[in-house]
Amino acid sequence: MSSQNLEDVAETDYHRPSGGASAVERMDKEAIREELRRLDGQKAALERKLTDALQYLASTPVGLRGRLLNDEGFPRDDCDLYAVRTARNTADCTRNDLRAVSDRLHCLLNELHRQTQEEAQLQMVQDAATRRQRQAAAEKRAQRMAELQRVSRLKPCLVVAKVDASSPAEEAGLSVGMQILQYGAVTQAELIAEGMQALARETATHEGKPIVVWVRKPGELEDDPSELVVVPQRWHGLGLLGCALDRVDDNA
């Protein structure tokens, strides 16, 4: 290495990376990766700079730590003392810069590892939540299918004979000719045991509350009943429903 090259290297401005752990923690993964790439390039340049300085010093009689004065106390005349001093200073400063860059790299790598672990843990939590949601949805579908199968096996117990306009029954979707398989908790069994009183009680106890009504529409397949929701309530007409329901013959 020439003395001119050493002077150029010594004057190169290699700033130490700024920002401590708190600054690193505010960086996202992409910013950390970008900083790691920049520091890798800076580290490689510093290593080349240090190697050049050490190689030059190794080519001199004094090396890195040898005396620059002769036995009589005068400056040595067998080497370029200015170049040696410059190379030694470059080597010392570059070692310090390399140490700072390495510390910064270590800090960034630790933070990247921490964020990656946190993201992995978060992803695991999200995946578990998704699995639970899917399982719950599957269970709900299974329950729905079981309910449909149960209801489809019921015999019609009532038939809609009349529906008043603007009544709760009409708003629920009930129409003349529909067969009712189950009205709330009332099925054919309850009607056989208690008669229409079971229907009246179910309606009265659900005033202002929804009642699930399973119906079979005219022309609808037996294994494909429909679910309606009616809310018995006071309205401008008679009763809480505004419709007439007739019993179906028990032997039908």
Side-chain angles (χ1 to χ4, degrees):
M1 174 183 286
S2 67
S3 60
Q4 180 61 41
N5 287 338
L6 281 171
E7 291 174 12
D8 293 340
V9 171
E11 292 173 359
T12 303
D13 185 14
Y14 281 101
H15 295 291
R16 294 185 182 182
S18 61
S22 60
V24 171
E25 291 172 359
R26 291 193 294 269
M27 299 172 67
D28 59 26
K29 288 199 305 179
E30 188 55 39
I32 291 176
R33 291 192 178 100
E34 182 63 29
E35 180 69 0
L36 285 171
R37 286 190 288 268
R38 187 187 71 80
L39 289 174
D40 277 339
Q42 184 174 344
K43 183 172 180 286
L46 288 170
E47 288 172 342
R48 290 193 298 270
K49 179 180 175 181
L50 178 60
T51 298
D52 288 346
L54 293 177
Q55 285 179 346
Y56 170 76
L57 290 171
S59 69
T60 67
V62 294
L64 182 62
R65 301 301 177 198
R67 286 170 49 84
L68 301 183
L69 301 178
N70 58 26
D71 293 339
E72 297 176 355
F74 293 101
R76 298 180 63 141
D77 58 3
D78 56 353
C79 60
D80 185 340
L81 296 183
Y82 177 77
V84 168
R85 290 192 183 95
T86 301
R88 287 179 174 181
N89 181 68
T90 297
D92 289 339
C93 292
T94 303
R95 282 196 179 100
N96 291 334
D97 289 341
L98 274 171
R99 193 157 35 246
V101 169
S102 296
D103 290 345
R104 175 73 168 174
L105 283 168
H106 180 72
C107 184
L108 287 169
L109 287 170
N110 283 341
E111 177 61 19
L112 182 61
H113 178 67
R114 184 188 68 80
Q115 290 189 18
T116 302
Q117 277 192 324
E118 287 183 353
E119 285 191 3
Q121 291 172 352
L122 178 60
Q123 188 62 49
M124 289 175 61
V125 171
Q126 292 174 342
D127 290 345
T130 300
R131 286 194 298 271
R132 287 194 297 270
Q133 291 174 353
R134 289 176 178 172
Q135 183 177 358
E139 291 175 354
K140 188 174 182 179
R141 287 194 298 270
Q143 292 172 356
R144 176 71 175 179
M145 290 299 298
E147 180 71 354
L148 282 171
Q149 291 175 0
R150 180 192 67 80
V151 173
S152 65
R153 291 193 293 267
L154 295 174
K155 291 183 177 181
C157 58
L158 297 164
V159 63
V160 180
K162 184 185 73 168
V163 177
D164 295 331
S166 302
S167 65
E170 185 184 59
E171 291 179 359
L174 288 172
S175 61
V176 174
M178 281 185 177
Q179 293 180 328
I180 295 179
L181 305 175
Q182 183 170 340
Y183 178 87
V186 177
T187 63
Q188 187 185 55
E190 284 71 32
L191 288 176
I192 292 174
E194 303 179 45
M196 295 298 281
Q197 183 179 353
L199 182 67
R201 184 181 63 252
E202 188 76 4
T203 301
T205 57
H206 283 82
E207 183 175 353
K209 303 174 184 177
I211 296 179
V212 174
V213 182
W214 286 98
V215 302
R216 184 175 294 139
K217 300 175 183 178
E220 195 171 52
L221 297 176
E222 290 189 1
D223 60 351
D224 190 24
S226 298
E227 181 183 25
L228 302 179
V229 177
V230 62
V231 180
Q233 56 188 311
R234 302 293 175 181
W235 62 296
H236 63 269
L238 297 176
L240 298 177
L241 295 176
C243 68
L245 303 176
D246 293 339
R247 285 190 61 176
V248 174
D249 185 357
D250 297 343
N251 297 320

